[in-house]
Amino acid sequence: MNAAYVFRVEFRLDPEGATIAPDRFETTMELPANEPGTDGWLFFRDRLWRGEIGDEPSFRRLASDRLGVEVVAANFRELRTDEAFLDALQSAIAADLDRFNADSVDEVLHKYLGSSVHVREE
């Protein structure tokens, strides 16, 4: 199984004793998705809402820590996944729909990821 949350992030460099132009840069950041049912697998529920970052300042701090630079903007792009991971995710969600306050797996996926699920060949 293989999956990652993909974000577009902008970061700023402010070197001491030097001036740079531009001082802001944009890149793509991928965070590996934890296997459904394991610690951290609810990242999508805890961080995303309808395909957007739910608490951007908090996420920018997380991204800054991971990247070692000041992240000044971030946008969720997609859950990039293979079919096996998506199947496992759907099964884990179906096993505990009450946790998501939803009536179906599709409702959960849309509620948190919007239409931003991109399935790739393994």
Side-chain angles (χ1 to χ4, degrees):
M1 288 191 294
N2 186 18
Y5 297 100
V6 181
F7 299 88
R8 182 191 61 78
V9 297
E10 284 184 45
F11 61 93
R12 180 175 44 212
L13 298 178
D14 188 16
E16 193 172 317
T19 302
I20 60 172
D23 64 348
R24 290 174 74 126
F25 302 89
E26 183 178 309
T27 193
T28 300
M29 180 177 80
E30 292 185 20
L31 297 176
N34 292 5
E35 186 174 327
T38 66
D39 283 345
W41 80 278
L42 293 171
F43 179 88
F44 71 95
R45 183 199 68 179
D46 299 339
R47 293 288 185 169
L48 304 173
W49 183 252
R50 304 229 186 269
E52 300 290 331
I53 297 170
D55 180 359
E56 189 183 347
S58 172
F59 183 82
R60 285 194 322 262
R61 285 190 299 276
L62 176 133
S64 293
D65 289 346
R66 296 273 176 104
L67 298 175
V69 293
E70 179 189 2
V71 172
V72 295
N75 298 92
F76 176 67
R77 291 297 186 217
E78 67 184 10
L79 170 63
R80 187 175 296 153
T81 181
D82 61 22
E83 197 68 47
F85 182 92
L86 184 57
D87 289 345
L89 180 62
Q90 291 171 328
S91 293
I93 291 168
D96 195 3
L97 274 176
D98 289 342
R99 173 186 292 212
F100 302 98
N101 193 26
D103 295 324
S104 71
V105 171
D106 286 341
E107 181 184 348
V108 172
L109 293 176
H110 183 70
K111 183 187 289 190
Y112 295 100
L113 298 168
S115 59
S116 301
V117 177
H118 182 196
V119 179
R120 291 184 160 187
E121 304 249 346
E122 294 181 35

